[in-house]
Amino acid sequence: MRNILIVILLLLNTAAIYSQQVLIIREQEYVDMETASSEGVNIPRSQKTLLQFLNNSLTAVNSYGYMLQAGDENPGTTNNNLDGEIISGNKFTWNGTDETSMTHALFTGYNIDVVIKYNYLLNTPNGIQRKSAGMTDNNGYIAYNILKNPKLGIAVKGINGIKIYNNTFYSDKTSDQTNRGLIDIYNNTDNDLNTPSKGTKIYNNIFYTRNRIFTIDIHDLECLEGFESDYNVFWCETGEPLFQVDGKTKTFAMWQAMGYDLHSVVINPDFVDITDFVPALRLDYGKDLGIALLAGLAVDAKWDRTEILTADQNGLWQVGARIYKYVEEEEEEEEEEEELPRNMTLIYPNPALGNFYLLLTDPNRMYQTMKIYDSNGKIVLTRPVAYGRTEIPVPGNFAAGLYTITLEADDLDRYIRKLIILD
């Protein structure tokens, strides 16, 4: 592990009558080759410290322990000494081989108002963990992060008011490889505690799973107090997205019946690739979360130990970590059908309010016919389709609801997508 570049400034806080140091760690590379237990980058916290951990690279293979330890596991005298810490623009890569590992990548226990943004977590067993014994986070958030293939994406353990906004989650793990959620919310029962996590808020995220694992898992009923989740995009390649509450599996319909994610959609975000996780087209399904959260990851942001490129939300709020910039000529370009994305098969927007569009630019997938089926399996529309972007008028006699669209050609497998049509 390389030597740490630390900038420490001693400030005098006359109001609270204690000294507070500023600790800035930026643009460093850490490679931890310990295969058993490791404390990773262990942030000093014996006194009040304003921590900024910015644009670093951390790689580890440890079977247990930490990659970044910026907080405490238990109540103690060093609790709250890193309140207000900022962990931004870092890349965490876990290359271990222990399939039972739950190594904590980004750990910030027993601190409040923590800001975690613009990080990329790759293969980390336990990605981001917020933990306490009943503390309440008022000003912090976990936003615009990408988490690829965690066993557990974000853990909320015995801490209140955690905000999880505009993150992108992707997993190709099976239920045999993990029984945890992309987000897990549960009581902290360590050392005879029994402290719930209340008031968690989950907005504007993308949840993509290749297999039917849990997207959101609320382990304990007490954690439903003040819980909110909406304006997210869910997609599972092998069936409906799954949720779990108090050990009981819920389908998306059952989850919505509980009052959650009523404005969310189940659609394929059509990532250009599964490294950068840029949607082929902007996904305008989000909720305006205010000016403090306006800046997301730019579509071309990279993690190379330099300042992360950002882009401001514009127009309708986009979901996920990557944000398309506003392009002034966008409408004119669309009207002239210039520079269409290549090699695409896409039906959008979804849900559709009125007409929707079909984009066919993949020369290997030139479909000829579109069929639309209602929820009873009856064909309600058949029409020819062609290369390029085609506007599909929705007949006035179509009722609002869920429809199935198939694209067909003699020599191709059918392309099947669900489409929600709104009033």
Side-chain angles (χ1 to χ4, degrees), residues 34-54:
E34 175 58 60
T35 58
S37 178
S38 174
E39 291 191 345
V41 179
N42 193 353
I43 302 298
R45 48 192 180 277
S46 60
Q47 62 179 305
K48 295 287 185 181
T49 300
L50 295 175
L51 171 68
Q52 295 184 33
F53 193 82
L54 309 174

Side-chain angles (χ1 to χ4, degrees), residues 299-319:
V299 295
D300 52 348
K302 302 292 183 186
W303 286 264
D304 53 8
R305 289 188 287 141
T306 59
E307 195 72 25
I308 291 291
L309 296 177
T310 62
D312 286 349
Q313 293 275 5
N314 49 86
L316 296 175
W317 271 53
Q318 300 164 60
V319 296

Side-chain angles (χ1 to χ4, degrees), residues 200-224:
T200 304
K201 293 177 172 56
I202 303 172
Y203 284 96
N204 294 10
N205 302 280
I206 297 174
F207 298 89
Y208 189 117
T209 65
R210 296 196 65 187
N211 303 291
R212 299 193 77 195
I213 63 170
F214 298 123
T215 52
I216 301 173
D217 187 347
I218 300 177
H219 294 230
D220 305 286
L221 291 176
E222 300 95 324
C223 298
L224 289 175

